[in-house]
C-alpha cells in the first residue's frame, strides 16, 4: 500500500503521480519428515510476517511450497502433517528478507514419541498406584 497526500488546487486540475511499490520477495521450500530427507506431500504450511496475517497452503506431491509477494523482514513458517497416525509439527524462522530476494527453506517435522508410566504414592513403605490421577507433559520447544 502506498499513500499520496496532496491538494487539488482548482476544479479540473490534472495531477500525475508515479507510484512505485516496494519490490517483494519469494519464500519457497520443502517440508521433510523427521529424517531430514523424506519430503512430506500434503503438509499444511502456514507463513506469517510482522505485516501479514498467517497464510496457509499445502505442499505438493514432492513436499514443496512457495509464497510470492512476501514483504521484507522475518518470516515464520509452521507446518503440520499426519504421518501414519501421528500428527507432527515443524517450525522454521528465516533471516531478514531483503526486497527481491528468494529464500529457500527446509521445514523439518519434529520427532515425537510416547510417554508411559504410572503415578504412584508412598503408603507406609510401599508404592501404591494412584487411580484417575491427572498429569501433564510439556516441552520447551515448538509447539510447547
Amino acid at each position: 500500500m502506498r499513500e499520496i497526500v496532496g491538494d487539488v488546487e482548482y476544479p479540473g486540475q490534472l495531477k500525475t503521480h508515479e507510484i512505485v511499490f516496494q519490490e517483494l520477495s519469494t519464500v519457497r521450500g520443502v517440508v521433510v519428515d523427521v529424517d531430514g530427507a523424506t519430503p512430506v506431500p500434503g503438509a499444511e504450511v502456514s507463513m506469517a510476517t510482522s505485516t501479514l496475517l498467517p497464510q496457509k497452503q499445502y505442499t505438493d506431491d514432492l513436499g514443496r511450497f512457495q509464497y510470492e509477494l512476501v514483504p521484507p523482514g522475518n518470516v515464520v513458517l509452521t507446518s503440520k502433517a499426519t504421518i501414519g497416525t501421528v500428527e507432527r509439527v515443524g517450525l522454521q524462522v528465516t533471516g531478514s528478507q531483503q526486497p527481491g530476494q528468494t529464500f529457500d527453506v527446509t521445514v523439518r517435522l519434529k520427532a515425537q514419541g510416547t510417554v508411559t508410566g504410572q503415578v504412584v504414592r508412598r503408603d507406609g513403605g510401599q508404592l501404591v498406584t494412584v487411580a484417575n490421577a491427572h498429569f501433564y507433559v510439556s516441552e520447551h520447544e515448538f509447539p510447547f
Side-chain angles (χ1 to χ4, degrees):
M1 185 172 101
R2 292 286 188 242
E3 182 177 330
I4 296 176
V5 178
D7 294 323
V8 174
E9 296 157 3
Y10 56 88
Q13 180 183 15
L14 178 61
K15 288 196 163 198
T16 302
H17 297 279
E18 184 174 316
I19 301 172
V20 179
F21 287 96
Q22 184 175 25
E23 191 174 6
L24 300 175
S25 301
T26 299
V27 175
R28 64 183 180 200
V30 63
V31 175
V32 296
D33 207 348
V34 295
D35 62 6
T38 306
V40 179
E44 178 184 300
V45 180
S46 178
M47 178 196 71
T49 72
S50 62
T51 57
L52 287 177
L53 293 173
Q55 300 179 31
K56 182 173 33 174
Q57 60 177 256
Y58 294 88
T59 58
D60 66 12
D61 291 340
L62 299 175
R64 298 176 302 196
F65 62 90
Q66 181 166 312
Y67 285 97
E68 305 277 346
L69 305 175
V70 179
N74 288 342
V75 174
V76 177
L77 296 160
T78 56
S79 63
K80 179 169 56 173
T82 301
I83 309 296
T85 59
V86 179
E87 183 179 270
R88 298 191 186 282
V89 295
L91 170 72
Q92 180 68 40
V93 180
T94 69
S96 185
Q97 292 265 108
Q98 300 301 315
Q101 184 177 17
T102 297
F103 250 56
D104 289 307
V105 297
T106 300
V107 182
R108 185 175 181 175
L109 298 178
K110 290 181 58 170
Q112 293 175 277
T114 303
V115 176
T116 61
Q118 288 184 319
V119 176
V120 296
R121 65 179 169 83
R122 188 168 299 280
D123 188 5
Q126 303 274 332
L127 291 178
V128 179
T129 59
V130 178
N132 301 314
H134 294 269
F135 70 95
Y136 300 90
V137 178
S138 66
E139 62 181 332
H140 299 291
E141 296 178 0
F142 178 80
F144 308 109

